[in-house]
Coordinates of all heavy atoms in Angstrom, one line a residue:
A1 N 9.4 3.0 -2.8 CA 8.4 2.2 -2.1 C 7.0 2.6 -2.4 O 6.1 1.7 -2.7 CB 8.6 2.3 -0.5
W2 N 6.8 3.9 -2.5 CA 5.4 4.4 -2.9 C 5.1 4.0 -4.3 O 4.0 3.5 -4.6 CB 5.3 5.9 -2.7 CG 3.9 6.4 -3.1 CD1 3.6 7.1 -4.2 CD2 2.8 6.2 -2.3 NE1 2.2 7.3 -4.1 CE2 1.7 6.7 -3.0 CE3 2.5 5.5 -1.1 CZ2 0.4 6.7 -2.5 CZ3 1.2 5.5 -0.6 CH2 0.2 6.1 -1.3
R3 N 6.0 4.1 -5.2 CA 5.8 3.7 -6.6 C 5.5 2.2 -6.7 O 4.6 1.8 -7.5 CB 7.0 4.0 -7.5 CG 7.0 5.5 -8.0 CD 8.0 5.7 -9.1 NE 9.4 5.3 -8.7 CZ 10.3 6.0 -8.2 NH1 10.0 7.3 -7.9 NH2 11.5 5.6 -7.9
G4 N 6.2 1.4 -6.0 CA 5.9 0.0 -5.9 C 4.5 -0.3 -5.5 O 3.7 -1.1 -6.1
Y5 N 4.1 0.3 -4.4 CA 2.7 0.2 -3.9 C 1.7 0.6 -5.0 O 0.7 0.0 -5.3 CB 2.4 0.9 -2.6 CG 1.0 0.9 -2.3 CD1 0.4 -0.2 -1.7 CD2 0.2 2.0 -2.6 CE1 -1.0 -0.2 -1.4 CE2 -1.2 2.0 -2.3 CZ -1.8 0.9 -1.7 OH -3.1 0.9 -1.5
R6 N 1.9 1.8 -5.5 CA 1.0 2.4 -6.5 C 0.9 1.5 -7.8 O -0.2 1.3 -8.3 CB 1.5 3.8 -6.9 CG 0.5 4.6 -7.8 CD 1.1 5.8 -8.4 NE 2.3 5.5 -9.2 CZ 3.4 6.1 -9.2 NH1 3.6 7.2 -8.5 NH2 4.4 5.7 -10.0
D7 N 2.0 1.0 -8.2 CA 2.0 0.2 -9.5 C 1.5 -1.2 -9.3 O 0.9 -1.7 -10.3 CB 3.5 0.1 -10.0 CG 4.0 1.5 -10.5 OD1 3.2 2.5 -10.6 OD2 5.2 1.6 -10.8
Y8 N 1.7 -1.8 -8.2 CA 1.3 -3.2 -8.0 C 0.2 -3.5 -7.0 O -0.3 -4.6 -7.0 CB 2.5 -4.0 -7.6 CG 3.6 -4.0 -8.7 CD1 4.8 -3.2 -8.4 CD2 3.5 -4.6 -9.9 CE1 5.8 -3.1 -9.4 CE2 4.5 -4.6 -10.8 CZ 5.7 -3.8 -10.6 OH 6.6 -3.7 -11.5
A9 N -0.1 -2.5 -6.1 CA -1.1 -2.9 -5.1 C -2.1 -1.7 -4.8 O -2.8 -1.7 -3.8 CB -0.4 -3.2 -3.8
W10 N -2.2 -0.8 -5.8 CA -3.1 0.3 -5.6 C -4.5 -0.1 -5.2 O -5.1 -0.9 -5.8 CB -3.1 1.1 -6.9 CG -3.8 2.5 -6.8 CD1 -5.0 2.9 -7.3 CD2 -3.3 3.6 -6.0 NE1 -5.2 4.2 -7.0 CE2 -4.2 4.7 -6.2 CE3 -2.1 3.8 -5.3 CZ2 -4.0 5.9 -5.6 CZ3 -1.9 5.1 -4.7 CH2 -2.9 6.1 -4.9
G11 N -5.0 0.5 -4.1 CA -6.3 0.2 -3.6 C -6.4 -1.0 -2.7 O -7.5 -1.4 -2.3
H12 N -5.3 -1.6 -2.4 CA -5.2 -2.7 -1.4 C -4.5 -2.3 -0.2 O -3.9 -1.2 -0.1 CB -4.5 -3.9 -2.1 CG -5.3 -4.4 -3.3 ND1 -6.4 -5.3 -3.1 CD2 -5.2 -4.2 -4.6 CE1 -6.9 -5.6 -4.3 NE2 -6.2 -5.0 -5.2
D13 N -4.5 -3.2 0.8 CA -3.9 -2.9 2.1 C -2.3 -2.8 2.0 O -1.7 -1.9 2.6 CB -4.2 -3.9 3.1 CG -5.6 -3.9 3.6 OD1 -6.3 -2.8 3.4 OD2 -6.1 -4.8 4.2
E14 N -1.7 -3.7 1.3 CA -0.3 -3.7 1.2 C 0.2 -4.4 0.0 O -0.5 -5.1 -0.7 CB 0.3 -4.2 2.5 CG 0.0 -5.7 2.7 CD 0.5 -6.3 4.0 OE1 1.0 -5.5 4.8 OE2 0.3 -7.5 4.2
L15 N 1.5 -4.2 -0.3 CA 2.2 -4.9 -1.4 C 3.2 -5.9 -0.8 O 3.9 -5.6 0.1 CB 3.0 -3.9 -2.2 CG 4.0 -4.5 -3.2 CD1 3.2 -5.2 -4.3 CD2 4.8 -3.4 -3.8
K16 N 3.1 -7.2 -1.3 CA 4.2 -8.1 -1.0 C 5.3 -7.9 -2.0 O 5.1 -8.1 -3.2 CB 3.6 -9.6 -1.2 CG 2.6 -9.9 -0.1 CD 2.1 -11.3 -0.3 CE 1.2 -11.7 0.8 NZ 0.9 -13.1 0.8
P17 N 6.4 -7.3 -1.5 CA 7.4 -6.8 -2.5 C 8.1 -7.8 -3.3 O 8.4 -7.5 -4.5 CB 8.4 -6.0 -1.6 CG 8.2 -6.6 -0.2 CD 6.7 -7.1 -0.1
L18 N 8.3 -9.0 -2.8 CA 9.1 -10.0 -3.6 C 8.2 -10.5 -4.8 O 8.7 -10.7 -5.9 CB 9.6 -11.1 -2.8 CG 10.7 -10.7 -1.7 CD1 11.1 -11.9 -0.9 CD2 11.8 -10.0 -2.4
S19 N 7.0 -10.8 -4.5 CA 6.1 -11.3 -5.5 C 5.3 -10.3 -6.3 O 4.7 -10.6 -7.3 CB 5.1 -12.3 -4.8 OG 4.2 -11.6 -3.9
R20 N 5.4 -9.0 -5.8 CA 4.7 -7.9 -6.4 C 3.2 -8.2 -6.5 O 2.5 -7.9 -7.4 CB 5.2 -7.5 -7.7 CG 6.6 -7.1 -7.7 CD 7.1 -6.7 -9.1 NE 8.5 -6.2 -9.0 CZ 9.3 -6.1 -10.0 NH1 8.9 -6.5 -11.2 NH2 10.5 -5.7 -9.8
V21 N 2.6 -8.8 -5.4 CA 1.2 -9.1 -5.3 C 0.6 -8.3 -4.2 O 1.1 -8.2 -3.1 CB 1.1 -10.6 -5.0 CG1 -0.4 -11.0 -4.8 CG2 1.7 -11.5 -6.2
P22 N -0.6 -7.8 -4.4 CA -1.3 -7.0 -3.4 C -1.9 -8.0 -2.3 O -2.1 -9.2 -2.6 CB -2.4 -6.3 -4.1 CG -2.6 -7.0 -5.3 CD -1.3 -7.7 -5.7
H23 N -2.0 -7.5 -1.1 CA -2.6 -8.3 0.0 C -3.6 -7.4 0.8 O -3.3 -6.3 1.1 CB -1.5 -8.8 0.9 CG -2.0 -9.6 2.0 ND1 -2.1 -9.1 3.3 CD2 -2.5 -10.9 2.1 CE1 -2.6 -10.0 4.1 NE2 -2.8 -11.1 3.4
D24 N -4.7 -8.0 1.1 CA -5.7 -7.3 2.0 C -5.8 -8.1 3.3 O -6.1 -9.3 3.2 CB -7.0 -7.2 1.3 CG -7.0 -6.3 0.1 OD1 -6.4 -5.2 0.2 OD2 -7.5 -6.7 -1.0
W25 N -5.6 -7.5 4.4 CA -5.6 -8.2 5.7 C -6.9 -8.9 6.0 O -6.9 -9.9 6.7 CB -5.3 -7.2 6.8 CG -3.9 -6.8 6.9 CD1 -2.9 -6.7 5.9 CD2 -3.2 -6.4 8.1 NE1 -1.8 -6.2 6.5 CE2 -1.9 -6.0 7.8 CE3 -3.6 -6.2 9.4 CZ2 -1.0 -5.6 8.7 CZ3 -2.7 -5.8 10.4 CH2 -1.4 -5.5 10.0
Y26 N -8.0 -8.3 5.6 CA -9.3 -8.8 6.0 C -10.2 -9.2 4.8 O -11.4 -9.3 5.0 CB -10.0 -7.8 6.9 CG -9.2 -7.4 8.1 CD1 -8.6 -6.2 8.1 CD2 -9.0 -8.3 9.1 CE1 -7.8 -5.8 9.2 CE2 -8.2 -7.9 10.2 CZ -7.6 -6.7 10.2 OH -6.8 -6.4 11.3
G27 N -9.6 -9.5 3.7 CA -10.3 -9.9 2.5 C -10.9 -8.8 1.7 O -11.2 -9.0 0.5
T28 N -11.1 -7.7 2.3 CA -11.6 -6.5 1.6 C -10.6 -5.3 2.0 O -10.1 -5.3 3.1 CB -13.0 -6.1 2.1 OG1 -13.5 -5.1 1.3 CG2 -13.1 -5.7 3.6
P29 N -10.3 -4.5 1.0 CA -9.3 -3.5 1.3 C -9.7 -2.4 2.3 O -10.8 -1.9 2.2 CB -9.1 -2.8 -0.1 CG -9.7 -3.7 -1.1 CD -10.7 -4.5 -0.4
L30 N -8.8 -2.2 3.2 CA -9.0 -1.1 4.2 C -7.9 0.0 4.0 O -7.9 0.9 4.8 CB -8.9 -1.6 5.6 CG -10.0 -2.6 6.1 CD1 -9.8 -3.1 7.5 CD2 -11.4 -1.9 6.0
L31 N -7.2 -0.1 2.9 CA -6.2 0.9 2.5 C -5.2 1.2 3.6 O -4.8 2.3 3.9 CB -6.9 2.2 2.1 CG -7.9 2.0 1.0 CD1 -8.6 3.4 0.7 CD2 -7.3 1.4 -0.3
L32 N -4.7 0.1 4.3 CA -3.7 0.3 5.4 C -2.5 1.1 5.0 O -2.0 2.0 5.7 CB -3.3 -1.0 6.0 CG -4.5 -1.8 6.7 CD1 -4.0 -3.2 7.0 CD2 -4.9 -1.0 7.9
T33 N -1.9 0.8 3.8 CA -0.7 1.5 3.4 C -0.9 2.9 3.1 O -0.2 3.8 3.6 CB 0.0 0.7 2.2 OG1 0.4 -0.5 2.6 CG2 1.2 1.5 1.7
P34 N -1.9 3.3 2.3 CA -2.1 4.7 2.1 C -2.4 5.5 3.3 O -1.9 6.6 3.5 CB -3.3 4.8 1.1 CG -3.3 3.4 0.5 CD -2.8 2.5 1.5
V35 N -3.2 5.0 4.2 CA -3.5 5.7 5.4 C -2.3 5.8 6.3 O -2.0 6.9 6.8 CB -4.7 5.0 6.2 CG1 -4.9 5.6 7.6 CG2 -6.0 5.1 5.4
D36 N -1.6 4.7 6.5 CA -0.4 4.7 7.3 C 0.7 5.6 6.8 O 1.4 6.2 7.6 CB 0.1 3.3 7.5 CG 0.7 2.9 8.8 OD1 0.5 3.7 9.8 OD2 1.3 1.9 8.9
A37 N 0.8 5.7 5.5 CA 1.9 6.5 4.9 C 1.6 7.9 4.7 O 2.5 8.7 4.5 CB 2.2 5.9 3.5
L38 N 0.4 8.3 4.9 CA 0.0 9.7 4.5 C 0.8 10.8 5.3 O 1.4 11.7 4.7 CB -1.5 9.9 4.8 CG -2.1 11.3 4.4 CD1 -1.9 11.6 2.9 CD2 -3.5 11.4 4.8
D39 N 0.9 10.7 6.6 CA 1.6 11.7 7.3 C 3.1 11.7 7.0 O 3.8 12.7 6.9 CB 1.4 11.6 8.8 CG 1.8 10.2 9.4 OD1 1.9 9.3 8.7 OD2 1.9 10.1 10.7
T40 N 3.7 10.5 6.8 CA 5.1 10.4 6.4 C 5.4 11.1 5.1 O 6.3 11.8 4.9 CB 5.5 8.9 6.4 OG1 5.3 8.3 7.6 CG2 7.0 8.8 6.0
L41 N 4.5 10.9 4.1 CA 4.6 11.5 2.8 C 4.6 13.0 3.0 O 5.4 13.7 2.4 CB 3.5 11.0 1.9 CG 3.6 9.5 1.5 CD1 2.3 9.1 0.8 CD2 4.8 9.2 0.7
Y42 N 3.7 13.5 3.8 CA 3.6 15.0 4.0 C 4.9 15.5 4.7 O 5.5 16.5 4.3 CB 2.4 15.4 4.8 CG 1.2 15.5 4.1 CD1 0.0 14.8 4.4 CD2 1.1 16.4 3.0 CE1 -1.2 14.9 3.7 CE2 -0.1 16.6 2.3 CZ -1.2 15.8 2.7 OH -2.4 16.0 1.9
L43 N 5.3 14.8 5.7 CA 6.5 15.2 6.5 C 7.8 15.2 5.6 O 8.7 16.1 5.8 CB 6.7 14.3 7.7 CG 5.7 14.5 8.8 CD1 5.9 13.5 9.9 CD2 5.8 15.9 9.4
L44 N 7.9 14.3 4.7 CA 9.0 14.3 3.8 C 8.9 15.2 2.6 O 9.8 15.3 1.8 CB 9.2 12.8 3.3 CG 9.6 11.8 4.3 CD1 9.7 10.4 3.7 CD2 11.0 12.2 4.8

């Protein structure tokens, strides 16, 4: 999942996995996925 985000949506809020297209919730990136995933990545 992280590689998919990194390869197709780096710097954006999220990745649409089927189309492999990045998406920003508010038109400008707020990096929702990297922020939201940070603690999970550390814990794992």
Side-chain angles (χ1 to χ4, degrees):
W2 182 254
R3 278 192 305 268
Y5 170 78
R6 188 190 62 220
D7 293 347
Y8 298 105
W10 191 248
H12 294 277
D13 288 342
E14 64 186 4
L15 169 66
K16 293 183 173 187
L18 297 179
S19 62
R20 296 181 179 162
V21 173
H23 177 257
D24 295 315
W25 282 31
Y26 303 107
T28 188
L30 295 176
L31 305 178
L32 293 172
T33 293
V35 172
D36 213 13
L38 184 60
D39 58 345
T40 301
L41 295 169
Y42 276 123
L43 288 172
L44 290 175

